Structures are given as structure tokens and as C-alpha cells.
PDB file of all heavy atoms in Angstrom:
ATOM      1  N   GLY A  30     145.842  41.863 107.553  1.00  0.00           N
ATOM      2  CA  GLY A  30     144.437  42.209 107.716  1.00  0.00           C
ATOM      3  C   GLY A  30     143.740  42.473 106.390  1.00  0.00           C
ATOM      4  O   GLY A  30     144.359  42.534 105.323  1.00  0.00           O
ATOM      5  N   TYR A  31     142.444  42.651 106.485  1.00  0.00           N
ATOM      6  CA  TYR A  31     141.649  42.854 105.274  1.00  0.00           C
ATOM      7  C   TYR A  31     141.852  44.251 104.683  1.00  0.00           C
ATOM      8  O   TYR A  31     141.792  44.416 103.458  1.00  0.00           O
ATOM      9  CB  TYR A  31     140.173  42.601 105.581  1.00  0.00           C
ATOM     10  CG  TYR A  31     139.873  41.135 105.769  1.00  0.00           C
ATOM     11  CD1 TYR A  31     139.910  40.553 107.029  1.00  0.00           C
ATOM     12  CD2 TYR A  31     139.599  40.314 104.677  1.00  0.00           C
ATOM     13  CE1 TYR A  31     139.654  39.202 107.208  1.00  0.00           C
ATOM     14  CE2 TYR A  31     139.341  38.971 104.840  1.00  0.00           C
ATOM     15  CZ  TYR A  31     139.377  38.417 106.111  1.00  0.00           C
ATOM     16  OH  TYR A  31     139.148  37.066 106.280  1.00  0.00           O
ATOM     17  N   GLU A  32     142.105  45.229 105.522  1.00  0.00           N
ATOM     18  CA  GLU A  32     142.370  46.560 104.979  1.00  0.00           C
ATOM     19  C   GLU A  32     143.675  46.557 104.193  1.00  0.00           C
ATOM     20  O   GLU A  32     143.759  47.120 103.090  1.00  0.00           O
ATOM     21  CB  GLU A  32     142.426  47.589 106.116  1.00  0.00           C
ATOM     22  CG  GLU A  32     141.083  47.914 106.742  1.00  0.00           C
ATOM     23  CD  GLU A  32     140.127  48.546 105.738  1.00  0.00           C
ATOM     24  OE1 GLU A  32     140.606  49.258 104.823  1.00  0.00           O
ATOM     25  OE2 GLU A  32     138.908  48.324 105.856  1.00  0.00           O
ATOM     26  N   GLY A  33     144.696  45.947 104.760  1.00  0.00           N
ATOM     27  CA  GLY A  33     145.969  45.862 104.047  1.00  0.00           C
ATOM     28  C   GLY A  33     145.842  45.051 102.776  1.00  0.00           C
ATOM     29  O   GLY A  33     146.463  45.373 101.751  1.00  0.00           O
ATOM     30  N   MET A  34     145.051  43.981 102.818  1.00  0.00           N
ATOM     31  CA  MET A  34     144.849  43.173 101.629  1.00  0.00           C
ATOM     32  C   MET A  34     144.141  43.970 100.540  1.00  0.00           C
ATOM     33  O   MET A  34     144.500  43.885  99.354  1.00  0.00           O
ATOM     34  CB  MET A  34     144.047  41.920 101.990  1.00  0.00           C
ATOM     35  CG  MET A  34     143.817  40.984 100.819  1.00  0.00           C
ATOM     36  SD  MET A  34     142.852  39.531 101.301  1.00  0.00           S
ATOM     37  CE  MET A  34     141.297  40.319 101.765  1.00  0.00           C
ATOM     38  N   ARG A  35     143.121  44.749 100.924  1.00  0.00           N
ATOM     39  CA  ARG A  35     142.424  45.565  99.921  1.00  0.00           C
ATOM     40  C   ARG A  35     143.369  46.604  99.305  1.00  0.00           C
ATOM     41  O   ARG A  35     143.243  46.920  98.117  1.00  0.00           O
ATOM     42  CB  ARG A  35     141.209  46.240 100.554  1.00  0.00           C
ATOM     43  CG  ARG A  35     140.024  45.299 100.755  1.00  0.00           C
ATOM     44  CD  ARG A  35     138.743  46.065 101.049  1.00  0.00           C
ATOM     45  NE  ARG A  35     138.779  46.665 102.384  1.00  0.00           N
ATOM     46  CZ  ARG A  35     138.279  46.085 103.465  1.00  0.00           C
ATOM     47  NH1 ARG A  35     137.721  44.900 103.374  1.00  0.00           N
ATOM     48  NH2 ARG A  35     138.328  46.705 104.639  1.00  0.00           N
ATOM     49  N   ARG A  36     144.281  47.112 100.112  1.00  0.00           N
ATOM     50  CA  ARG A  36     145.270  48.059  99.542  1.00  0.00           C
ATOM     51  C   ARG A  36     146.136  47.359  98.500  1.00  0.00           C
ATOM     52  O   ARG A  36     146.477  47.956  97.461  1.00  0.00           O
ATOM     53  CB  ARG A  36     146.129  48.652 100.658  1.00  0.00           C
ATOM     54  CG  ARG A  36     145.408  49.683 101.511  1.00  0.00           C
ATOM     55  CD  ARG A  36     146.395  50.483 102.358  1.00  0.00           C
ATOM     56  NE  ARG A  36     147.101  49.636 103.319  1.00  0.00           N
ATOM     57  CZ  ARG A  36     146.687  49.400 104.548  1.00  0.00           C
ATOM     58  NH1 ARG A  36     145.555  49.942 104.986  1.00  0.00           N
ATOM     59  NH2 ARG A  36     147.395  48.636 105.371  1.00  0.00           N
ATOM     60  N   LEU A  37     146.503  46.117  98.781  1.00  0.00           N
ATOM     61  CA  LEU A  37     147.285  45.360  97.800  1.00  0.00           C
ATOM     62  C   LEU A  37     146.476  45.138  96.526  1.00  0.00           C
ATOM     63  O   LEU A  37     146.996  45.292  95.415  1.00  0.00           O
ATOM     64  CB  LEU A  37     147.724  44.013  98.385  1.00  0.00           C
ATOM     65  CG  LEU A  37     148.780  44.040  99.489  1.00  0.00           C
ATOM     66  CD1 LEU A  37     149.111  42.609  99.928  1.00  0.00           C
ATOM     67  CD2 LEU A  37     150.048  44.738  99.018  1.00  0.00           C
ATOM     68  N   PHE A  38     145.189  44.792  96.674  1.00  0.00           N
ATOM     69  CA  PHE A  38     144.340  44.576  95.507  1.00  0.00           C
ATOM     70  C   PHE A  38     144.204  45.871  94.694  1.00  0.00           C
ATOM     71  O   PHE A  38     144.250  45.844  93.455  1.00  0.00           O
ATOM     72  CB  PHE A  38     142.954  44.088  95.937  1.00  0.00           C
ATOM     73  CG  PHE A  38     142.938  42.688  96.470  1.00  0.00           C
ATOM     74  CD1 PHE A  38     141.897  42.251  97.289  1.00  0.00           C
ATOM     75  CD2 PHE A  38     143.957  41.792  96.173  1.00  0.00           C
ATOM     76  CE1 PHE A  38     141.868  40.964  97.781  1.00  0.00           C
ATOM     77  CE2 PHE A  38     143.938  40.492  96.661  1.00  0.00           C
ATOM     78  CZ  PHE A  38     142.891  40.082  97.466  1.00  0.00           C
ATOM     79  N   HIS A  39     144.037  46.966  95.398  1.00  0.00           N
ATOM     80  CA  HIS A  39     143.835  48.243  94.709  1.00  0.00           C
ATOM     81  C   HIS A  39     145.096  48.668  93.961  1.00  0.00           C
ATOM     82  O   HIS A  39     145.020  49.252  92.866  1.00  0.00           O
ATOM     83  CB  HIS A  39     143.427  49.318  95.720  1.00  0.00           C
ATOM     84  CG  HIS A  39     142.969  50.599  95.085  1.00  0.00           C
ATOM     85  ND1 HIS A  39     143.833  51.596  94.696  1.00  0.00           N
ATOM     86  CD2 HIS A  39     141.714  51.031  94.752  1.00  0.00           C
ATOM     87  CE1 HIS A  39     143.160  52.584  94.163  1.00  0.00           C
ATOM     88  NE2 HIS A  39     141.862  52.267  94.181  1.00  0.00           N
ATOM     89  N   GLY A  40     146.264  48.378  94.537  1.00  0.00           N
ATOM     90  CA  GLY A  40     147.511  48.808  93.894  1.00  0.00           C
ATOM     91  C   GLY A  40     148.117  47.783  92.969  1.00  0.00           C
ATOM     92  O   GLY A  40     149.197  48.029  92.399  1.00  0.00           O
ATOM     93  N   ALA A  41     147.456  46.623  92.804  1.00  0.00           N
ATOM     94  CA  ALA A  41     148.005  45.571  91.939  1.00  0.00           C
ATOM     95  C   ALA A  41     147.718  45.889  90.490  1.00  0.00           C
ATOM     96  O   ALA A  41     146.583  45.776  90.021  1.00  0.00           O
ATOM     97  CB  ALA A  41     147.406  44.217  92.323  1.00  0.00           C
ATOM     98  N   THR A  42     148.730  46.329  89.791  1.00  0.00           N
ATOM     99  CA  THR A  42     148.592  46.665  88.371  1.00  0.00           C
ATOM    100  C   THR A  42     149.671  45.937  87.577  1.00  0.00           C
ATOM    101  O   THR A  42     150.656  45.445  88.119  1.00  0.00           O
ATOM    102  CB  THR A  42     148.719  48.176  88.145  1.00  0.00           C
ATOM    103  OG1 THR A  42     149.996  48.622  88.641  1.00  0.00           O
ATOM    104  CG2 THR A  42     147.613  48.924  88.869  1.00  0.00           C
ATOM    105  N   GLY A  43     149.480  45.892  86.280  1.00  0.00           N
ATOM    106  CA  GLY A  43     150.450  45.261  85.406  1.00  0.00           C
ATOM    107  C   GLY A  43     149.889  45.097  84.022  1.00  0.00           C
ATOM    108  O   GLY A  43     148.711  45.388  83.753  1.00  0.00           O
ATOM    109  N   LYS A  44     150.728  44.594  83.133  1.00  0.00           N
ATOM    110  CA  LYS A  44     150.295  44.447  81.745  1.00  0.00           C
ATOM    111  C   LYS A  44     149.319  43.296  81.568  1.00  0.00           C
ATOM    112  O   LYS A  44     148.575  43.243  80.583  1.00  0.00           O
ATOM    113  CB  LYS A  44     151.507  44.252  80.841  1.00  0.00           C
ATOM    114  CG  LYS A  44     152.301  42.974  81.139  1.00  0.00           C
ATOM    115  CD  LYS A  44     153.489  42.834  80.214  1.00  0.00           C
ATOM    116  CE  LYS A  44     154.263  41.550  80.505  1.00  0.00           C
ATOM    117  NZ  LYS A  44     155.432  41.393  79.604  1.00  0.00           N
ATOM    118  N   ASP A  45     149.319  42.334  82.511  1.00  0.00           N
ATOM    119  CA  ASP A  45     148.386  41.211  82.420  1.00  0.00           C
ATOM    120  C   ASP A  45     147.994  40.779  83.831  1.00  0.00           C
ATOM    121  O   ASP A  45     148.483  41.310  84.838  1.00  0.00           O
ATOM    122  CB  ASP A  45     148.975  40.047  81.624  1.00  0.00           C
ATOM    123  CG  ASP A  45     150.337  39.603  82.164  1.00  0.00           C
ATOM    124  OD1 ASP A  45     150.589  39.785  83.378  1.00  0.00           O
ATOM    125  OD2 ASP A  45     151.145  39.082  81.388  1.00  0.00           O
ATOM    126  N   SER A  46     147.123  39.796  83.917  1.00  0.00           N
ATOM    127  CA  SER A  46     146.639  39.333  85.215  1.00  0.00           C
ATOM    128  C   SER A  46     147.741  38.688  86.034  1.00  0.00           C
ATOM    129  O   SER A  46     147.726  38.736  87.269  1.00  0.00           O
ATOM    130  CB  SER A  46     145.483  38.344  85.010  1.00  0.00           C
ATOM    131  OG  SER A  46     144.395  38.967  84.364  1.00  0.00           O
ATOM    132  N   ASN A  47     148.666  38.047  85.361  1.00  0.00           N
ATOM    133  CA  ASN A  47     149.792  37.432  86.073  1.00  0.00           C
ATOM    134  C   ASN A  47     150.575  38.486  86.847  1.00  0.00           C
ATOM    135  O   ASN A  47     150.935  38.288  88.016  1.00  0.00           O
ATOM    136  CB  ASN A  47     150.708  36.714  85.079  1.00  0.00           C
ATOM    137  CG  ASN A  47     151.885  36.048  85.757  1.00  0.00           C
ATOM    138  OD1 ASN A  47     151.809  35.681  86.928  1.00  0.00           O
ATOM    139  ND2 ASN A  47     152.985  35.893  85.045  1.00  0.00           N
ATOM    140  N   ASP A  48     150.830  39.626  86.225  1.00  0.00           N
ATOM    141  CA  ASP A  48     151.547  40.705  86.909  1.00  0.00           C
ATOM    142  C   ASP A  48     150.754  41.225  88.102  1.00  0.00           C
ATOM    143  O   ASP A  48     151.319  41.540  89.158  1.00  0.00           O
ATOM    144  CB  ASP A  48     151.824  41.855  85.937  1.00  0.00           C
ATOM    145  CG  ASP A  48     152.866  41.482  84.897  1.00  0.00           C
ATOM    146  OD1 ASP A  48     153.597  40.495  85.121  1.00  0.00           O
ATOM    147  OD2 ASP A  48     152.940  42.169  83.860  1.00  0.00           O
ATOM    148  N   CYS A  49     149.437  41.319  87.950  1.00  0.00           N
ATOM    149  CA  CYS A  49     148.598  41.812  89.050  1.00  0.00           C
ATOM    150  C   CYS A  49     148.654  40.858  90.249  1.00  0.00           C
ATOM    151  O   CYS A  49     148.805  41.284  91.393  1.00  0.00           O
ATOM    152  CB  CYS A  49     147.159  41.984  88.577  1.00  0.00           C
ATOM    153  SG  CYS A  49     146.938  43.239  87.288  1.00  0.00           S
ATOM    154  N   CYS A  50     148.524  39.560  89.980  1.00  0.00           N
ATOM    155  CA  CYS A  50     148.580  38.590  91.075  1.00  0.00           C
ATOM    156  C   CYS A  50     149.969  38.551  91.700  1.00  0.00           C
ATOM    157  O   CYS A  50     150.104  38.439  92.927  1.00  0.00           O
ATOM    158  CB  CYS A  50     148.194  37.203  90.553  1.00  0.00           C
ATOM    159  SG  CYS A  50     146.461  37.046  90.057  1.00  0.00           S
ATOM    160  N   GLN A  51     150.988  38.667  90.861  1.00  0.00           N
ATOM    161  CA  GLN A  51     152.352  38.673  91.390  1.00  0.00           C
ATOM    162  C   GLN A  51     152.586  39.882  92.295  1.00  0.00           C
ATOM    163  O   GLN A  51     153.310  39.796  93.291  1.00  0.00           O
ATOM    164  CB  GLN A  51     153.362  38.661  90.245  1.00  0.00           C
ATOM    165  CG  GLN A  51     154.820  38.560  90.693  1.00  0.00           C
ATOM    166  CD  GLN A  51     155.095  37.277  91.444  1.00  0.00           C
ATOM    167  OE1 GLN A  51     154.716  36.190  91.018  1.00  0.00           O
ATOM    168  NE2 GLN A  51     155.755  37.394  92.586  1.00  0.00           N
ATOM    169  N   ALA A  52     151.981  40.998  91.955  1.00  0.00           N
ATOM    170  CA  ALA A  52     152.115  42.194  92.788  1.00  0.00           C
ATOM    171  C   ALA A  52     151.529  41.966  94.177  1.00  0.00           C
ATOM    172  O   ALA A  52     152.055  42.467  95.181  1.00  0.00           O
ATOM    173  CB  ALA A  52     151.426  43.381  92.109  1.00  0.00           C
ATOM    174  N   VAL A  53     150.443  41.186  94.258  1.00  0.00           N
ATOM    175  CA  VAL A  53     149.855  40.876  95.566  1.00  0.00           C
ATOM    176  C   VAL A  53     150.803  40.012  96.383  1.00  0.00           C
ATOM    177  O   VAL A  53     151.050  40.269  97.565  1.00  0.00           O
ATOM    178  CB  VAL A  53     148.498  40.165  95.377  1.00  0.00           C
ATOM    179  CG1 VAL A  53     147.956  39.689  96.728  1.00  0.00           C
ATOM    180  CG2 VAL A  53     147.503  41.094  94.703  1.00  0.00           C
ATOM    181  N   PHE A  54     151.374  38.979  95.748  1.00  0.00           N
ATOM    182  CA  PHE A  54     152.309  38.109  96.463  1.00  0.00           C
ATOM    183  C   PHE A  54     153.559  38.876  96.882  1.00  0.00           C
ATOM    184  O   PHE A  54     154.073  38.677  97.987  1.00  0.00           O
ATOM    185  CB  PHE A  54     152.677  36.913  95.593  1.00  0.00           C
ATOM    186  CG  PHE A  54     151.555  35.946  95.375  1.00  0.00           C
ATOM    187  CD1 PHE A  54     151.150  35.599  94.098  1.00  0.00           C
ATOM    188  CD2 PHE A  54     150.879  35.391  96.449  1.00  0.00           C
ATOM    189  CE1 PHE A  54     150.119  34.713  93.896  1.00  0.00           C
ATOM    190  CE2 PHE A  54     149.831  34.502  96.262  1.00  0.00           C
ATOM    191  CZ  PHE A  54     149.455  34.162  94.980  1.00  0.00           C
TER     192      PHE A  54
END
């Protein structure tokens, strides 16, 4: 769902954008 997806976006952190996107996957 969209709420769960937003939680993933909010918690996606890392040293670069690749790490952030990988955290979502």
C-alpha cells in the first residue's frame, strides 16, 4: 500500500542515492 511505501521512502537512508533506492527494494 501507499502508507507502507511512504514508510519505506521515509526510512530509506544511505551514503548515496543508490543506497536509498536499494533500501526501498
Side-chain angles (χ1 to χ4, degrees):
Y31 287 92
E32 288 297 328
M34 182 181 64
R35 283 194 289 266
R36 286 194 297 269
L37 290 181
F38 289 159
H39 190 275
T42 58
K44 63 180 181 180
D45 54 28
S46 298
N47 180 27
D48 290 342
C49 296
C50 292
Q51 184 62 48
V53 173
F54 291 124

